[in-house]
Amino acid sequence: MARICQRDDFCFWYRNPQHPGQSSLGVAYIENDEHKIVRPDFIFFATQQDGTVVADIVDPHSTYLSDALSKLQGLALYAETHAEVYRRIESINEVDGTLRVLDLTRQDVREAVAVSTSAASLYGGQLASDYL
């Protein structure tokens, strides 16, 4: 059987449903003083060398949408209190043909997201890296 992922530790992935329910991970965020829910697109699972399975949140993010920064800030707040549950919590956006990633498990990235006025500037800045 052909591997769908080239990472040796890859187990499987889950497409997080965009509808509410027990099978969907929802993350709260605030936009215009209104509470809303963002549902990160993917959860990947991998096996570490000691045999434990870890989860990674990977959320492709479009900065042209008006709620892009609010959703990113909500995901960063979620990472602040839940980072120990995941190996990675990453938000990805395409910048000039290159996929760029913000690692929301990093405190400096979360702090920058919290005070930013532009999601696009975060992906184009020094806190983002190329997605491999």
Side-chain angles (χ1 to χ4, degrees):
M1 178 157 72
R3 289 181 58 94
I4 61 169
C5 182
Q6 296 304 313
R7 293 178 183 233
D8 290 337
D9 62 352
F10 175 78
C11 289
F12 56 93
W13 61 275
Y14 179 70
R15 175 63 168 98
N16 193 32
Q18 294 301 308
H19 54 80
Q22 292 182 353
S23 62
S24 178
L25 171 65
V27 175
Y29 71 98
I30 299 173
E31 181 183 32
N32 299 323
D33 296 323
E34 184 179 336
H35 286 83
K36 297 183 177 186
I37 301 288
V38 60
R39 300 189 190 283
D41 286 348
F42 299 102
I43 304 172
F44 291 92
F45 296 87
T47 304
Q48 298 189 109
Q49 288 187 351
D50 66 2
T52 58
V53 176
V54 292
D56 302 326
I57 292 176
V58 179
D59 190 40
H61 209 75
S62 299
T63 58
Y64 67 87
L65 299 172
S66 63
D67 61 358
L69 182 59
S70 298
K71 287 180 177 179
L72 183 59
Q73 289 170 334
L75 195 55
L77 281 173
Y78 180 81
E80 180 77 32
T81 57
H82 294 87
E84 73 283 351
V85 176
Y86 300 93
R87 181 178 62 170
R88 298 182 301 153
I89 301 176
E90 298 177 335
S91 184
I92 301 168
N93 184 49
E94 185 175 350
V95 177
D96 297 327
T98 300
L99 292 177
R100 302 278 290 166
V101 62
L102 292 169
D103 178 354
L104 298 175
T105 63
R106 290 177 39 193
Q107 183 175 346
D108 60 337
V109 173
R110 291 191 307 268
E111 289 171 355
V113 169
V115 298
S116 182
T117 58
S118 164
S121 67
L122 291 164
Y123 291 102
Q126 292 185 349
L127 290 175
S129 59
D130 290 349
Y131 187 72
L132 303 174

